[in-house]
Amino acid sequence: MIKPAPRGTDPETIRAEILEKLTYSIGKDPAVAKRHDWLNATILALRDRIIDRWMESTKRAYQANAKRVYYLSLEFLIGRLLRDAMSNLELTGAFTEALAGLNVDVDLVEAMEPDAALGNGGLGRLAACFMESMASLDIPAYGYGIRYNHGLFRQKITDGWQVELPENWLEHGNAWEFPRREAAYEVGFGGQVTPGVDSGNRHQRRWKPAEKLIASACDTPMVGWRGKRVNTLRLWTARAPDPIRLDAFNSGDYAAALSESNKAEIITRVLYPADSTPAGQELRLRQEYFFTSASLQDIIRRHMQQYDDIRLLADKVAIHLNDTHPAIAVAELMRILVDHHGLDWDQSWEITKAAIGYTNHTLLPEALESWPVHLFEHVLPRHMQIIYGINAKLIADAQKRPDCTSEFLASVSLIDEHNGRRVRMGQLAFAGAHSINGVSALHTELMKQSVFRDLNELYPGRINNKTNGITPRRWLLEANPQLTSLLNDAVGANVMDNAALLVKAKPFAKDAAFQQRFAAIKRHNKEELANLISARMGLKVDPAAMFDVHVKRIHEYKRQLLNILETIALYNAMRAHPEKPWVPRVKIFAGKAAASYAQAKLIIKLINDVANVVNNDPDIRDLLKVVFIPNYNVSLAEVIVPAADLSEQISTAGMEASGTGNMKFALNGALTIGTLDGANIEMLEHVGADNIFIFGLTAAEVEERRRIGVDVVAVLDAAHELRDVLDQLGSGVFSPGDANRYRPIVDSITHGDWFMVGSDFNAYAAAQRDVAKLWRRSQDWTEKTILNTVNMGWFSSDRTIREYARDIWNVPTD
């Protein structure tokens, strides 16, 4: 193959290439080109440089017979890719200058790029950080997921309520993706399983699906730091084998003519279809099997093409399940090995376990998916048989234990008999993986003690910890370039190459000149966020005020409710005592609630109702503002994170697996107020107890209170401010004309307090007063923010991926 000549990286060469793309690929004259035309021309010019490295990376992996990592995830929250790719190829300055020479502002062009709607929250953003780190560490890897037409949803706030609208990110195409027509696979559903024999006269079962779809691949290049490697994100689209039934069309039944195509397209239409109905449950199961089956077929096709020996699969392939959604991979890989490659059951089982690793991201029962057996048998009859076979082996292993009891067998079984016979997908992933990891030290220990306690006793040694991390390229260099420059000056090296170098800047925490520059950068970032809030919401906020930020998925365990209730208490105190030297605050919220999660949506409404009252109260002037910014996504996070002064990480202890928002904020110089939950515990160890605000019940204390029951009367007797706030909610102070609107919220605290909002209220309020005291000592505050930033290098996703590579995947890194 003829190697292409190296492409020039000077602005003049790049400018010429952008003009060429604008003319011959976009079909526009510069005089009439719009911003979206310049965006696509810029992407195409940059893409050419990526393709060269992409092809070279692929060839290197083949030539080295390298083991590949395959990362299966239902979410990849990759955000905008133009800035990311330019930065990682070290071409940001050259492209900026090239566009400036064409009278085009690169920032305005970048703003035209839509966020890829491929995820919801931390799970998808972690997958994106991991893809970037794998490429940066020179690990040959593929990410596998679904090319959602609309993803989750676009959030609009109407009269304070969340409204879900389609996210049309693909409306104008996607210049980053490459359709791969040759990578197309049949995926079956339903039908029946019939007995038979193979060529060796051995018993064999043959699945004859009643329905088949075609999974077709679209590839997006994932660029590593300095372009060391470019890996592939392969996303699947669904189509019917026959796009139209002409007989039905010609007879005038147009709906029936397109029914198969519509049924196929529904698979990849949205992320997380509501599973509160039988139809929704079936769609979720079909969606998860669709992308998992296509991915495994593609993995095995590539493996056999190179090695032609399926028995070598686990030596050359590491399949990683990012949470429980792809857990059906265990049964699907067994089906392929046994039914298609003729391996016996025991050999197939050993290969499956050796190839698969599983990351658990939550202890919440609703996220450890389970499916009704009757639904599973209807949609995937052969897989149900395989799961029964796996379960028989698992039960036999359990019965060998001298202390085996019926309770132990029920606990480890893949079939839950207590709630209408359901297939436990978390149990299946555990049984079929050689490694099961948690994502923070606390989460991993809680896994061993709770959801996987008995499986861990049955198969000890499989559970290990891999604390999450974030890529500093996206969350420092791109999100906060001025701070990156300051840190590089202090360290004397590029911290993007090794985030552990950040700690070398620790002596500067007390340096007055460094503090001044650090604080000036924070003020600049806050002004940028204030401008965004003004432009989007028409609300003026003071950048001199403390920006107190709580942005993440809206869920009761993440306790946005605790935050807004304490905000109301603060508002009451400000009105009652205007003479006190209050610290001005801007309380910033953002995040989406699941469409069917009524309580989370009610919390959003409460935040907006409180904002309506507080922001229009002339008596407190600018001492307090409350803001809910709609449609939280990666691009919005890149503006909010560098501007935050205080990071709210206040989940109910024992319920947040790790968190990565906590790491992003601390890396950018925000102080954390948080519980001893998830990775907050490890952050405490790294930044020091004096530089973080920890409050509230521990995970063990939460468990104990739930066991014995919360004495709500005693809690409210001790929390007079909270009682007053709940009385306000119950009397309609924040919901004029609808006094009962917030009754479900009041009841959630006064009838059990499952999420410990009332139990932790006083401790949280006291921690917030400590925050205010420190804020008044601006020099001390800045010193602590610097110490947070420089001690966060350990939380780089590069470190996390090195641990995965060493302990789970058995692949080398750079």
Side-chain angles (χ1 to χ4, degrees):
M1 179 178 176
I2 300 174
K3 190 172 183 179
R7 300 176 186 273
T9 58
D10 58 283
E12 293 76 18
T13 299
I14 292 172
R15 186 179 304 126
E17 291 182 9
I18 292 173
L19 283 173
E20 182 182 20
K21 296 297 182 184
L22 183 72
T23 303
Y24 297 108
S25 296
I26 310 299
K28 281 289 186 75
D29 184 280
V32 296
K34 305 299 182 184
R35 286 180 190 167
H36 61 265
D37 298 317
W38 288 113
L39 169 67
N40 286 326
T42 303
I43 290 174
L44 292 175
L46 180 63
R47 203 179 72 167
D48 285 350
R49 288 167 165 74
I50 294 171
I51 290 171
D52 293 340
R53 298 171 187 256
W54 199 9
M55 291 181 173
E56 188 273 334
S57 297
T58 302
K59 284 189 293 181
R60 260 196 300 128
Y62 272 99
Q63 291 166 359
N65 288 327
K67 186 175 185 179
R68 295 179 179 86
V69 173
Y70 295 105
Y71 199 78
L72 276 61
S73 179
L74 204 58
E75 296 187 41
F76 285 94
L77 203 57
I78 56 178
R80 293 170 175 164
L81 292 180
L82 177 58
R83 173 72 71 175
D84 198 52
M86 285 194 305
S87 176
N88 275 11
L89 291 176
E90 301 178 284
L91 291 173
T92 302
F95 268 81
T96 300
E97 188 176 338
L99 287 167
L102 297 166
N103 296 316
V104 177
D105 185 332
V106 69
D107 292 331
L108 297 179
V109 167
E110 286 177 348
M112 296 297 298
E113 183 178 6
D115 274 50
L118 299 173
N120 175 27
L123 179 75
R125 186 52 234 172
L126 181 80
C129 283
F130 279 9
M131 288 299 297
E132 195 270 356
S133 278
M134 282 189 273
S136 296
L137 297 177
D138 204 20
I139 297 173
Y142 277 72
Y144 282 109
I146 293 178
R147 182 184 179 270
Y148 302 103
N149 292 71
H150 300 295
L152 189 65
F153 56 81
R154 178 166 52 89
Q155 183 192 55
K156 182 180 179 181
I157 302 298
T158 301
D159 191 29
W161 292 100
Q162 171 179 289
V163 177
E164 300 92 25
L165 300 172
E167 179 61 84
N168 297 318
W169 74 287
L170 290 170
E171 183 177 10
H172 302 294
N174 178 8
W176 288 110
E177 68 182 11
F178 294 78
R180 304 298 193 196
R181 290 191 298 174
E182 73 282 2
Y185 304 95
E186 283 190 350
V187 179
F189 299 96
Q192 59 184 340
V193 182
T194 59
V197 294
D198 63 14
S199 57
N201 206 34
R202 292 173 298 186
H203 289 290
Q204 188 178 49
R205 296 179 186 268
R206 298 189 182 279
W207 179 30
K208 296 181 179 179
E211 175 192 354
K212 292 182 179 179
L213 303 180
I214 304 299
S216 297
C218 287
D219 288 356
T220 299
M222 296 281 104
V223 183
W225 175 236
R226 299 192 190 277
K228 179 178 292 184
R229 170 173 287 279
V230 179
N231 282 328
T232 302
L233 175 60
R234 176 158 286 186
L235 304 175
W236 300 105
T237 62
R239 59 181 173 84
D242 297 313
I244 187 172
R245 286 179 50 204
L246 283 175
D247 58 338
F249 189 88
N250 290 332
S251 68
D253 192 348
Y254 304 128
L258 297 173
S259 62
E260 293 303 310
S261 287
N262 290 337
K263 192 173 182 180
E265 291 173 4
I266 285 172
I267 291 279
T268 57
R269 183 69 64 182
V270 300
L271 168 66
Y272 298 140
D275 59 358
S276 54
T277 65
Q281 289 180 23
E282 180 171 340
L283 178 55
R284 280 281 289 272
L285 178 57
R286 287 164 63 93
Q287 193 177 59
E288 292 175 5
Y289 175 67
F290 166 79
F291 105 88
T292 302
S293 176
S295 302
L296 287 178
Q297 290 182 65
D298 195 48
I299 291 166
I300 291 174
R301 186 269 309 165
R302 186 176 297 108
H303 172 79
M304 294 301 289
Q305 176 181 302
Q306 187 167 4
Y307 302 107
D308 196 31
D309 188 346
I310 195 65
R311 294 169 300 179
L312 298 176
L313 186 70
D315 296 329
K316 297 299 181 181
V317 162
I319 300 167
H320 205 87
L321 312 182
N322 188 34
D323 215 5
T324 313
H325 310 114
I328 190 61
V330 174
E332 174 70 354
L333 184 53
M334 285 292 290
R335 184 187 72 85
I336 293 171
L337 295 176
V338 173
D339 294 0
H340 289 266
H341 290 271
L343 300 185
D344 65 43
W345 181 275
D346 290 340
Q347 188 177 22
S348 298
W349 186 235
E350 292 307 314
I351 291 172
T352 295
K353 287 189 297 182
I356 290 178
Y358 163 52
T359 296
N360 172 276
H361 282 275
T362 180
L363 305 177
L364 295 177
E366 64 266 27
L368 283 171
E369 292 176 317
S370 66
W371 303 109
V373 167
H374 66 83
L375 172 64
F376 219 99
E377 289 176 327
H378 168 67
V379 177
L380 300 170
R382 177 60 179 137
H383 299 77
M384 193 67 247
Q385 292 178 342
I386 290 170
I387 288 170
Y388 280 135
I390 295 170
N391 200 42
K393 171 69 167 62
L394 188 151
I395 295 298
D397 288 347
Q399 288 175 328
K400 295 174 185 176
R401 294 171 55 94
D403 57 346
C404 181
T405 63
S406 59
E407 290 78 12
F408 186 84
L409 292 177
S411 174
V412 301
S413 175
L414 303 185
I415 310 300
D416 182 1
E417 305 283 356
H418 297 96
N419 190 25
R421 300 194 75 234
R422 302 177 70 89
V423 182
R424 295 165 161 165
M425 301 307 286
Q427 309 277 96
L428 177 63
F430 190 109
H434 69 278
S435 169
I436 298 90
N437 71 278
V439 290
S440 72
L442 175 64
H443 171 235
T444 300
E445 287 306 307
L446 291 175
M447 280 172 54
K448 295 177 181 178
Q449 298 168 18
S450 57
V451 292
F452 295 135
R453 182 193 63 193
D454 291 334
L455 277 171
N456 184 51
E457 287 188 17
L458 183 60
Y459 301 119
R462 291 193 191 182
I463 295 181
N464 61 95
N465 180 58
K466 299 288 174 282
T467 299
N468 283 343
I470 58 173
T471 170
R473 272 78 61 177
R474 171 74 71 136
W475 295 107
L476 190 59
L477 176 60
E478 296 169 42
N480 207 340
Q482 292 185 25
L483 180 56
T484 306
S485 178
L486 176 62
L487 294 167
N488 282 334
D489 289 346
V491 170
N494 196 322
V495 296
M496 296 303 106
D497 293 311
N498 181 6
L501 294 173
L502 283 170
V503 74
K504 288 190 172 184
K506 189 173 181 178
F508 289 91
K510 293 182 178 294
D511 182 272
F514 189 90
Q515 285 187 356
Q516 187 175 8
R517 292 178 64 191
F518 195 97
I521 292 167
K522 178 65 74 174
R523 175 60 184 248
H524 166 79
N525 294 333
K526 292 174 70 175
E527 289 170 354
E528 292 290 311
L529 178 55
N531 291 337
L532 182 148
I533 291 170
S534 176
R536 293 194 185 182
M537 310 184 69
L539 178 67
K540 300 290 185 182
V541 298
D542 184 1
M546 181 198 301
F547 281 15
D548 181 344
V549 178
H550 199 163
V551 295
K552 53 183 75 241
R553 179 165 55 96
I554 309 296
H555 196 291
E556 286 174 278
Y557 90 80
K558 293 178 183 288
R559 297 205 295 190
Q560 289 90 354
L561 179 58
L562 175 60
N563 188 343
I564 194 62
L565 294 181
E566 198 278 332
T567 300
I568 297 171
L570 176 63
Y571 171 62
N572 291 339
M574 286 178 168
R575 289 193 301 164
H577 298 283
E579 76 284 358
K580 288 188 177 182
W582 298 104
V583 168
R585 286 192 192 227
V586 180
K587 303 283 286 191
I588 298 170
F589 296 86
K592 297 177 181 179
S596 59
Y597 194 170
Q599 190 80 340
K601 295 172 81 169
L602 187 61
I603 291 169
I604 292 176
K605 173 62 172 171
L606 175 60
I607 293 169
N608 283 295
D609 278 350
V610 172
N612 187 52
V613 171
V614 170
N615 297 344
N616 291 294
D617 187 339
D619 292 337
I620 62 166
R621 304 176 302 281
D622 288 332
L623 287 177
L624 183 64
K625 297 291 183 184
V626 180
V627 185
F628 188 97
I629 308 177
N631 206 40
Y632 185 57
N633 57 19
V634 177
S635 297
L636 182 56
E638 288 171 336
V639 181
I640 294 176
V641 168
D645 293 306
L646 186 67
S647 164
E648 298 271 354
Q649 309 297 331
I650 61 174
S651 54
T652 309
M655 299 195 72
E656 183 72 86
S658 171
T660 54
N662 46 6
M663 304 169 192
K664 294 161 194 165
F665 284 109
L667 180 63
N668 282 273
L671 300 189
T672 299
I673 183 170
T675 50
L676 285 171
D677 198 25
N680 287 356
I681 296 172
E682 286 144 293
M683 285 175 54
L684 168 65
E685 294 169 357
H686 282 266
V687 306
D690 292 338
N691 303 308
I692 190 171
F693 298 94
I694 297 295
F695 73 92
L697 301 171
T698 66
E701 290 169 339
V702 168
E703 183 180 5
E704 177 64 12
R705 287 212 179 190
R706 285 175 173 169
R707 188 185 66 80
I708 64 175
V710 174
D711 185 346
V712 177
V713 173
V715 166
L716 294 180
D717 284 345
H720 300 293
E721 292 178 336
L722 175 60
R723 185 187 290 278
D724 291 343
V725 170
L726 295 181
D727 287 344
Q728 288 175 285
L729 294 188
S731 61
V733 169
F734 297 99
S735 54
D738 187 3
N740 291 321
R741 178 181 299 163
Y742 295 115
R743 176 55 52 190
I745 284 177
V746 175
D747 288 347
S748 72
I749 298 172
T750 58
H751 292 76
D753 196 23
W754 180 260
F755 296 99
M756 305 294 152
V757 172
S759 298
D760 270 347
F761 183 88
N762 280 352
Y764 177 59
Q768 286 286 17
R769 302 294 78 78
D770 289 340
V771 168
K773 291 175 186 175
L774 180 63
W775 178 264
R776 295 188 186 97
R777 308 195 311 271
S778 59
Q779 186 173 341
D780 291 343
W781 180 279
T782 301
E783 178 184 337
K784 292 179 184 298
T785 62
I786 294 169
L787 288 172
N788 266 260
T789 292
V790 302
N791 283 304
M792 289 301 294
W794 187 82
F795 293 93
S796 166
S797 52
D798 292 353
R799 184 269 313 158
T800 311
I801 288 298
R802 282 194 171 95
E803 293 179 2
Y804 274 93
R806 179 193 68 211
D807 300 336
I808 300 175
W809 302 332
N810 191 28
V811 295
T813 59
D814 68 349

